[in-house]
Amino acid sequence: MIRRARPEDAPAIATLFRRSFGTLSFLPVVHTPEEYLRHVGHLIREHELWVFEVDDDILGFASLDDGELSNLYVEPDVIGQGIGSMLLDHAKARRPDGFRLWVFQENERARAFYERRGCTLVELTDGSDNEQGAPDALYQWRPTREGRASGDLS
């Protein structure tokens, strides 16, 4: 089930966030567990933070702010089970006019995930504007008049 995150979810979301980020071995560790927890608290208060939950376990989350999907992470042990797709579809429903999102260039799995689901590449950067200093890619999802995402061939 997808539901809005609550303040009491912050520790579980922060742990999932750290575990997911930890799978990106090309990135330096730049935050402490406490900083992740503070950031998640900020997302819950200031953004739309949605969680995917099964039997009281949070297995994924997505945060939206205006025209940006600022986070979409899935528990590493359950990647490939459709949770990311459901969260992305939820984001599309919440932002029917479209949104942008950033992905690290080296995260080929995430880039392929977004491209298969109708997101199109807008720009590649050298990473000088993100705290990890890692080259990233800006994507966008925009609906078409036919109701399909731009770039969606299905």
Side-chain angles (χ1 to χ4, degrees):
M1 154 177 95
I2 295 176
R3 65 167 175 79
R4 191 78 180 252
R6 301 182 291 255
E8 60 268 23
D9 298 326
I13 296 167
T15 297
L16 187 158
F17 201 175
R18 283 193 335 269
R19 284 176 44 84
S20 294
F21 236 73
T23 66
L24 303 174
S25 59
F26 57 89
L27 292 177
V29 176
V30 297
H31 292 292
T32 66
E34 295 78 19
E35 289 171 327
Y36 274 102
L37 185 58
R38 278 195 301 275
H39 181 64
V40 168
H42 168 78
L43 293 175
I44 290 171
R45 287 187 310 276
E46 304 295 328
H47 298 250
E48 283 185 45
L49 183 58
W50 299 91
V51 297
F52 184 92
E53 180 182 61
V54 174
D55 297 330
D56 296 325
D57 289 329
I58 294 173
L59 301 177
F61 72 94
S63 62
L64 294 160
D65 181 29
D66 296 325
E68 184 174 351
L69 174 64
S70 53
N71 295 286
L72 193 158
Y73 290 94
V74 174
E75 176 64 41
D77 295 339
V78 296
I79 288 175
Q81 296 182 18
I83 295 168
S85 294
M86 287 185 266
L87 286 166
L88 183 61
D89 287 346
H90 187 76
K92 290 176 179 179
R94 298 288 304 166
R95 298 292 184 275
D97 293 332
F99 52 82
R100 295 177 138 201
L101 61 109
W102 289 96
V103 179
F104 294 107
Q105 287 183 38
E106 203 169 328
N107 191 348
E108 293 175 12
R109 174 186 247 166
R111 293 182 67 186
F113 169 83
Y114 290 116
E115 289 171 7
R116 282 192 310 270
R117 287 157 182 84
C119 298
T120 55
L121 180 64
V122 174
E123 175 184 10
L124 297 174
T125 76
D126 64 5
S128 59
D129 287 335
N130 68 55
E131 61 192 356
Q132 293 83 8
D136 50 13
L138 177 63
Y139 281 84
Q140 71 177 2
W141 173 78
R142 298 281 183 255
T144 64
R145 283 178 279 180
E146 295 83 31
R148 293 186 320 213
S150 60
D152 189 0
L153 300 177
S154 58

